[in-house]
Amino acid sequence: MTTTLERATTPTTPDPPARLSLTPTPGGVRRGRLDGAWWPRSRDLLLELPALAADIDERWGRITRITLNPAQWPVIPRRIPVAGHTVHAGWFTTEQDEHTIAVFSYAPRRLNLLVVPPETDAVDAARLMAEAAGPANTTGASGLLAVEAGGGARGPGSRSDFLPSAVAPSDGDGAAARRADVARGRAASWPVPA
């Protein structure tokens, strides 16, 4: 069977930009540290990786390879066509956190990014992305997601400026409202998935 695509019906709109947040100096060498976060719109690497690669290529250098844990991805193609070149994909089941993607450039450089689950709501995703990209963050990807799933529970005496008002400790009048406004403002900057 032959399929013919007519030029008039072929979509010409570019892919939406990647929802990506990077630390001020990505690619630093510190054990357990994330270089930022990526919030894909689906779990389809063939659809999602081109937008991520385009964004990172501009800022950081051409992506040549990615690695990830297959626990969160139903299909991992070996090669992914991206803007005139091919990105090679690999996976590790025990060596790599299931909530990260490692992105390698030709330089050679490496970015470790938290993968925010696509089904995450915009406010929670903005909070996770801000925490993962924070220069002082030392929590791993699964740790950040566990805190999110646990309703914001953290170690004794610690708190985040991005906790929702329902679980945030009070710093006085309006502190919870200010934190909620920050989270809403960050969430508003991300495009809504189609």
Side-chain angles (χ1 to χ4, degrees):
M1 177 174 177
T2 304
T3 303
T4 305
L5 296 176
E6 294 180 26
R7 194 170 229 106
T9 61
T10 304
T12 57
T13 58
D15 291 332
R19 298 180 295 188
L20 177 67
S21 179
L22 295 175
T23 59
T25 55
V29 180
R30 266 189 11 202
R31 186 169 174 79
R33 181 170 175 245
L34 294 167
D35 296 305
W38 173 46
W39 183 26
R41 290 169 175 82
S42 72
R43 294 189 188 274
D44 185 342
L45 282 173
L46 288 172
L47 290 175
E48 299 296 331
L49 195 61
L52 176 67
D55 200 348
I56 291 178
D57 284 356
E58 288 178 19
R59 297 193 217 186
W60 191 69
R62 178 179 264 187
I63 293 177
T64 58
R65 186 168 52 102
I66 63 162
T67 62
L68 38 84
N69 187 312
Q72 300 296 323
W73 303 95
V75 176
I76 302 172
R78 292 285 227 179
R79 292 179 182 86
I80 303 167
V82 173
H85 71 283
T86 301
V87 173
H88 297 271
W91 59 90
F92 298 98
T93 55
T94 57
E95 297 87 355
Q96 188 165 344
D97 185 310
E98 70 181 83
H99 300 289
T100 63
I101 183 170
V103 179
F104 300 86
S105 78
Y106 68 91
R109 294 182 185 164
R110 175 183 175 156
L111 290 175
N112 291 313
L113 302 174
L114 164 70
V115 177
V116 177
E119 60 277 0
T120 306
D121 70 64
V123 172
D124 291 338
R127 182 176 34 259
L128 285 166
M129 294 181 79
E131 280 195 42
N137 177 45
T138 58
T139 306
S142 287
L144 285 174
L145 290 171
V147 167
E148 184 67 28
R154 294 185 184 271
S158 68
R159 74 170 192 83
S160 169
D161 291 332
F162 303 107
L163 291 173
S165 59
V167 295
S170 177
D171 295 341
D173 295 334
R178 283 192 303 276
R179 283 192 298 277
D181 287 342
V182 168
R184 272 189 228 101
R186 290 185 182 184
S189 69
W190 296 109
V192 177

